Amino acid sequence: MKTLVRAACPHDCPDTCAIRVTVEDGRAVRVQGDPDHPPTHGALCTKVSRYPERTYHAERVLFPLRRVGPKGSGQFERVGWDEALSDIAGRLATIAARDSQAILPYSYAGTMGLVQGESMAARFFHKLGASLLDRTICANAGGEALAATYGGKVGMHLENFAHSRLIVIWGSNSIASNLHFWTFAQAAKRAGARLVCIDPRRTETADKCHQHIALLPGTDGALALGVMRELVVNDWLDHDYIARRTEGWEALRDKAMAWTPERTAGVCGITADEVRGLARDWGTTKPAAIRLNYGMQRVRGGGNAVRLIAALPCLTGAWGHAAGGLLLSSSGWFPVNKAGLQRPDLLAGRKPRTINMSTIGDDLLRDGSAAFGPKVEAVVVYNSNPVAVAPESPKVVRGFAREDLFTVVLEHFLTDTADHADYVLPATTQLEHFDVHLSYGHTYALVNERAIEPLGEALSNTEIFRRLAARMGYTDACFADTDEQIAAVAFGDHIGLEQLRRDGWVKLPLPDAPFAEGRFLTPSGKCQLDAPGLGVPDYVPNYESAASAPELAARYPLAMISPPARHFLNSTFVNVTSLRSVEGQPLVEIHPSDAATRGIADGAMVRVFNDRGEYRCAASVSERARPGVVNGLGIWWRKLGPDGTNVNELTHQRLTDIGRAPSFYDCLVEVAAA
Ligand SMILES: Nc1nc2c(c(=O)[nH]1)N[C@H]1C(S)=C(S)[C@@H](COP(=O)(O)OP(=O)(O)OC[C@H]3O[C@@H](n4cnc5c(=O)[nH]c(N)nc54)[C@H](O)[C@@H]3O)O[C@H]1N2
Ligand SMILES: Nc1nc2c(c(=O)[nH]1)N[C@H]1C(S)=C(S)[C@@H](COP(=O)(O)OP(=O)(O)OC[C@H]3O[C@@H](n4cnc5c(=O)[nH]c(N)nc54)[C@H](O)[C@@H]3O)O[C@H]1N2
Ligand SMILES: [Mo]
């Protein structure tokens, strides 16, 4: 028997595609992009087209596993669910009896589903009184900066980019990480629009734009200030929009006037003409739009840079047109009932401490203290692979290797993190469970129907936490909610679950040009160029750069960024053989001039190192890297790298100016032949 099931891509990507799954005799044989869903328009990326290969992968974890070898060795024995859950509940209860804050949930967006993400899991940890997790690892600098400026994580409609005359793709490799945006950008390009890409790396996206501005990492704020000054000097400002729809421009203008094209160019490592040209394009083209993405905010000044760039469409009145403005995230448009999903009321007055997921390396190694609270004694990981993805992995690995740490990992595979677990619990994939989704790159809510029965003894995240709650003796009614009941809470009455299940997706009812008349989501309805509590944004130099840390730069003269490889999604899909073989091997791109001075040949094994660690990989001598910057494409599984490490061996745990986020791309290294 053959059926077609409506699904949604669960991955942490702005595109959130609508999928049709072909199921034959209970087996998912094919996934296709839904041709009727406008953002997806029938196309899936190479990665997700391989979803069945990932789901039926021979290495799927299909039974509960208990550790038998040393931590990190990945040696396990199969146990029954009953035994695993009783033991886990017992261990957690014992720790909680001393101090429940010694237990830490660790999760991110392995699935972006509102049900399989933070619903039953959050309820469980709230009831338990576990430490809270500050989920900062990806988008917090830009997200909080955008909210400070526009009042929320909101922006243009994806589809309207097709009608822009100028698109600035700023800190984003759209073809690799936001493919369905690229389709709309291409439509605009065919209709005569100009495309400009601002990125230290010459990406496949940069190749296809009319202009590529290869600035130094972390200098975007300076570039935005330089553009602002040109807008003022040439009077390319929309004075009426500024006066009626923004607040704080005078103070910001005073800051910007110090940024001549020459000074800007010096800081950014580009030419003064590039600064002038960008300002002219931005100031004189209508409608003009910016696709900002999270790549440019993974540096110390990432938050300030986003605030500065978010000001640009206000200064020129670009928001007046539906095809003008800016999109960083659209997630704030969705009416999500977070409290209903996560039930913080179950804390019942307790106020557990919060641990930042981006400093998990340091925090797992900390002893208990008055300031920190109790030592972390147990971690429950789901929807994340911190040993591979968190910054400064030498410390993260040491933390997860602690023999006195009790670790439970809910996973599909034996990832680097699962290898460190005391228990690995088999989780279902998107084909095996029910969910509903928002998107951070478009404005449609989607449903994901279950396509197949769970493989082996896999259970959904919700079901695992439901059962754990029962073992802990939690009798609150919310722990009996089915996935459908949770899904019905997710959007409340705003988007009915019935309609969502009938149609597969629902487009949010939003104005086409949301800020044409102001109506920002701020208290005043105006764009806050000067934001309460933050003041006027300014350029904040990197922690690690030649200008800000000359002594460090003398030893480690190359700036390293580590953006995603096209065929992986963070560390997901690295173990899918067909995709890994396209990526080949872990590599670092280095400019021919930097390679020549170091005697490095294309394809040679190199050591990439700094005071934090050393990572071996192959050198790709290529003009994809600009002089002075190397690109360590991520995020490989450590155990699949030549020396059992990955690029996060070198990154640090210092946080961004706004949003307490990691500064992965603010990192000095040296490269030498191995
Ligand atoms: N194929 C694929 N798609 C993905 C992901 C993936 O791993 N693989 N990850 C998903 C996730 S979790 C996210 S958050 C999004 C991220 O979405 P994007 O933010 O669009 O992600 P990237 O492709 O990493 O884009 C980052 C780009 O920024 C550039 N960059 C680095 N530093 C700077 C800087 O200082 N200034 C500027 N202007 N540019 C800089 C990098 O070279 C890179 O090309 O993508 C999602 N989509
Ligand atoms: N150096 C460097 N480091 C980075 C980045 C970078 O650009 N450079 N990017 C950062 C960014 S943007 C992000 S978002 C983070 C991402 O970090 P993570 O959120 O940890 O993302 P993944 O590495 O994809 O790991 C997700 C895991 O969740 C599992 N999973 C998927 N679905 C389910 C499910 O339904 N149930 C359970 N239990 N598990 C599931 C997958 O198998 C996978 O192992 O990494 C960050 N780390
Ligand atoms: Mo991310």
Side-chain angles (χ1 to χ4, degrees):
M1 215 197 41
K2 189 163 153 174
T3 51
L4 215 53
V5 180
R6 278 183 189 288
C9 178
H11 289 296
D12 187 354
C13 165
D15 296 14
T16 313
C17 290
I19 297 182
R20 289 181 179 179
V21 187
T22 309
V23 180
E24 270 178 36
D25 302 323
R27 195 178 165 90
V29 293
R30 192 166 171 209
V31 293
Q32 286 165 280
D34 196 318
D36 300 329
H37 180 235
T40 307
H41 51 74
L44 291 181
C45 66
T46 325
K47 305 177 291 299
V48 175
S49 326
R50 306 291 161 83
Y51 208 76
E53 183 180 344
R54 184 176 185 277
T55 298
Y56 295 108
H57 197 297
E59 291 161 8
R60 264 290 291 279
V61 176
L62 295 177
F63 309 98
L65 301 174
R66 181 167 55 206
R67 177 164 74 94
V68 292
K71 285 257 165 141
S73 69
Q75 292 167 39
F76 298 100
E77 62 179 358
R78 178 176 168 181
V79 291
W81 268 111
D82 214 42
E83 198 185 341
L85 291 176
S86 299
D87 194 21
I88 294 167
R91 298 282 296 265
L92 295 181
T94 306
I95 297 169
R98 289 194 299 274
D99 189 340
S100 54
Q101 299 178 93
I103 301 168
L104 177 71
Y106 196 98
S107 68
Y108 200 62
T111 169
M112 294 219 307
L114 294 170
V115 178
Q116 303 304 336
E118 306 309 325
S119 71
M120 202 51 93
R123 295 175 184 182
F124 177 83
F125 291 110
H126 284 146
K127 180 78 185 178
L128 181 61
S131 285
L132 302 173
L133 186 72
D134 198 6
R135 292 183 171 78
T136 55
I137 203 161
C138 170
N140 243 46
E144 289 195 4
L146 199 67
T149 315
Y150 298 162
K153 290 162 91 172
V154 291
M156 279 175 68
H157 291 271
L158 170 69
E159 294 91 324
N160 290 341
F161 278 90
H163 309 293
S164 308
R165 301 293 300 163
L166 170 71
I167 303 179
V168 180
I169 300 178
W170 200 321
S172 173
N173 182 3
S174 315
I175 295 179
S177 15
N178 188 190
L179 185 63
H180 294 78
F181 159 77
W182 180 249
T183 313
F184 294 96
Q186 261 183 315
K189 190 180 172 193
R190 276 195 301 272
R194 177 172 168 79
L195 268 53
V196 178
C197 179
I198 303 179
D199 193 315
R201 177 169 184 250
R202 186 185 297 170
T203 60
E204 49 271 63
T205 307
D207 285 340
K208 297 212 159 60
C209 289
H210 296 99
Q211 189 189 2
H212 173 210
I213 301 177
L215 79 184
L216 288 167
T219 63
D220 302 270
L223 181 55
L225 285 161
V227 168
M228 270 179 215
R229 183 180 184 280
E230 286 298 284
L231 297 179
V232 174
V233 169
N234 295 287
D235 197 20
W236 290 321
L237 299 170
D238 182 333
H239 296 283
D240 181 59
Y241 194 93
I242 293 173
R244 296 171 64 192
R245 314 301 182 200
T246 72
E247 49 199 20
W249 168 233
E250 288 72 25
L252 180 55
R253 185 186 51 207
D254 290 346
K255 279 232 154 73
M257 290 317 286
W259 288 86
T260 61
E262 290 69 24
R263 178 180 174 205
T264 307
V267 169
C268 297
I270 58 176
T271 66
D273 279 343
E274 285 176 307
V275 181
R276 288 191 196 97
L278 178 65
R280 174 175 300 276
D281 283 344
W282 186 253
T284 61
T285 318
K286 292 211 163 35
I290 298 173
R291 183 52 168 115
L292 192 61
N293 219 327
Y294 287 115
M296 48 67 64
Q297 46 102 66
R298 306 193 202 293
V299 291
R300 180 186 183 187
N304 270 276
V306 167
R307 291 182 64 206
L308 289 164
I309 295 165
L312 295 175
C314 297
L315 302 184
T316 55
W319 287 113
H321 195 291
L326 175 144
L327 176 62
L328 169 58
S329 173
S330 57
S331 64
W333 290 126
F334 290 83
V336 177
N337 178 1
K338 200 171 151 190
L341 289 168
Q342 307 187 356
R343 299 292 306 272
D345 56 295
L346 293 165
L347 284 168
R350 292 167 296 175
K351 290 198 173 58
R353 63 148 171 223
T354 299
I355 288 189
N356 186 339
M357 67 187 303
S358 303
T359 53
I360 188 69
D362 279 340
D363 290 339
L364 285 183
L365 297 175
R366 259 187 242 288
D367 287 324
S369 69
F372 178 63
K375 184 171 181 166
V376 178
E377 290 183 62
V379 187
V380 181
V381 182
Y382 53 101
N383 300 338
S384 185
N385 183 12
V387 171
V389 307
E392 201 171 1
S393 28
K395 289 188 176 168
V396 182
V397 172
R398 259 170 50 218
F400 275 97
R402 268 175 46 198
E403 281 296 331
D404 64 340
L405 182 72
F406 179 62
T407 305
V408 179
V409 178
L410 285 59
E411 251 301 347
H412 301 150
F413 293 103
L414 289 181
T415 59
D416 292 321
T417 307
D419 279 350
H420 290 81
D422 293 279
Y423 279 100
V424 184
L425 302 178
T428 46
T429 69
Q430 186 79 341
L431 300 180
E432 301 154 68
H433 57 226
F434 179 76
D435 219 325
V436 292
H437 288 257
L438 53 68
S439 165
Y440 64 95
H442 62 64
T443 40
Y444 297 74
L446 295 92
V447 73
N448 178 73
E449 299 287 351
R450 179 158 113 173
I452 57 170
E453 288 298 311
L455 302 191
E457 292 183 3
L459 295 177
S460 62
N461 291 342
T462 44
E463 183 59 19
I464 294 172
F465 285 107
R466 231 178 248 124
R467 292 188 188 190
L468 268 176
R471 301 274 162 160
M472 302 288 286
Y474 301 161
T475 52
D476 308 71
C478 69
F479 290 110
D481 283 355
T482 63
D483 288 2
E484 284 77 4
Q485 285 169 321
I486 298 171
V489 168
F491 299 118
D493 295 334
H494 298 280
I495 305 170
L497 185 59
E498 268 170 40
Q499 187 195 357
L500 209 49
R501 295 187 89 163
R502 185 188 67 221
D503 300 341
W505 62 83
V506 174
K507 186 166 166 63
L508 297 176
L510 296 169
D512 220 23
F515 308 131
E517 273 117 46
R519 301 211 181 93
F520 289 94
L521 309 188
T522 55
S524 63
K526 294 183 178 186
C527 168
Q528 299 178 156
L529 302 176
D530 183 353
L534 293 172
V536 181
D538 202 350
Y539 166 59
V540 178
N542 277 5
Y543 288 110
E544 301 192 354
S545 72
S548 56
E551 178 275 334
L552 191 71
R555 289 186 292 138
Y556 304 116
L558 298 168
M560 184 189 77
I561 57 173
S562 47
R566 180 170 177 182
H567 297 91
F568 301 149
L569 198 122
N570 301 321
S571 77
T572 304
F573 294 106
V574 179
N575 64 326
V576 173
T577 319
S578 64
L579 294 169
R580 190 168 70 248
S581 57
V582 184
E583 290 298 334
Q585 58 182 333
L587 54 81
V588 65
E589 293 170 344
I590 181 166
H591 188 268
S593 61
D594 289 326
T597 53
R598 290 168 177 79
I600 293 168
D602 187 37
M605 281 303 284
V606 289
R607 302 188 299 124
V608 189
F609 59 98
N610 57 25
D611 288 340
R612 292 175 288 271
E614 172 175 314
Y615 165 52
R616 278 175 197 246
C617 62
S620 170
V621 177
S622 157
E623 294 194 352
R624 291 215 175 276
R626 58 158 284 161
V629 180
V630 294
N631 314 318
L633 301 189
I635 309 174
W636 281 77
W637 284 18
R638 290 167 60 85
K639 59 181 164 184
L640 295 175
D643 64 348
T645 63
N646 74 13
V647 73
N648 277 320
E649 203 72 4
L650 308 170
T651 53
H652 58 73
Q653 298 177 68
R654 272 166 286 180
L655 303 176
T656 52
D657 53 350
I658 298 173
R660 310 162 305 283
S663 32
F664 288 112
Y665 303 172
D666 179 340
C667 176
L668 287 176
V669 300
E670 179 55 295
V671 181

